[in-house]
Amino acid sequence: MTRIIADISVSLDGFVTGPDSGPDNGMGTGGETLHTWAFSDDPDDRRILREATVRSGAVVLGRRLFDVVDGPKGWDDTTGYGAGEVGKPPFVVVTSTPPKSVRLTGLDWTFVTTGLADAVAAARERAEAASSAGGKDLDVVLMGGGATVGSALEAGLVDVLSLHLAPVVLGAGTPLFTGGASPRTLVRRSVVATSTATHLIYDVSR
């Protein structure tokens, strides 16, 4: 069964980027420390990254995050999705205006202009098709940014919340939760602590 998984790294004080983030400073000041775990040699970090990304049948992201990863200082062959642990799943971008050009032409991009729910639905179709073709269950991963993940949770679109809690306090930046969300019941499924992050997985009650 295809699940919708929100997967994101977050600081101890709840930020998914540092301050002053933008296309030329994607993670903001100090924000790169949030993803130290993804490049760690710790066997638990590697296993968690591998297991999460190998089930990625399609990936959803917001336009702001797309502008970062497709920007001149964005992804390359060593820092793309899954940090080398997975192939190239299709990517679905939520945006009001599709870009005129794409730098990362080797990736499969779909731009959805009719809202987050439609983007998730499009990604689910892609993931289910890949599941059927490959004979194994694949998921839709919401990789961010923070507003996209928060909006998906608020809209009841998320089945699983996977947080990678980095041992850092950023003080400012892009918050994962803005305080306006409706209450949600989470059921903790696993906790794995490494030297670089505490990996938390919750089932989300709709």
Side-chain angles (χ1 to χ4, degrees), residues 54-162:
V54 77
R55 286 183 58 96
S56 301
V59 178
V60 177
L61 62 157
R63 176 57 187 270
R64 186 173 180 181
L65 181 55
F66 166 80
D67 287 341
V68 171
V69 302
D70 194 57
K73 296 183 180 180
W75 285 351
D76 56 29
D77 290 340
T78 62
T79 60
Y81 183 76
E85 290 288 350
V86 72
K88 298 177 180 179
F91 293 88
V92 179
V93 181
V94 189
T95 180
S96 59
T97 307
K100 294 181 179 179
S101 62
V102 174
R103 178 179 66 87
L104 298 170
T105 56
L107 299 179
D108 180 353
W109 297 103
T110 298
F111 298 92
V112 174
T113 61
T114 51
L116 179 57
D118 286 346
V120 170
R124 184 190 290 275
E125 288 182 5
R126 300 295 297 273
E128 289 177 344
S131 297
S132 297
K136 62 179 181 180
D137 289 336
L138 297 173
D139 298 317
V140 172
V141 176
L142 303 178
M143 66 170 285
T148 299
V149 169
S151 295
L153 284 166
E154 174 66 15
L157 298 173
V158 176
D159 298 311
V160 177
L161 177 61
S162 177

Side-chain angles (χ1 to χ4, degrees), residues 1 3 5 8 45 70-71 75 133 150 179 181 198-199:
M1 181 181 71
R3 302 171 300 170
I5 300 177
I8 196 163
D45 286 330
D70 194 57
W75 285 351
T198 301
H199 304 282

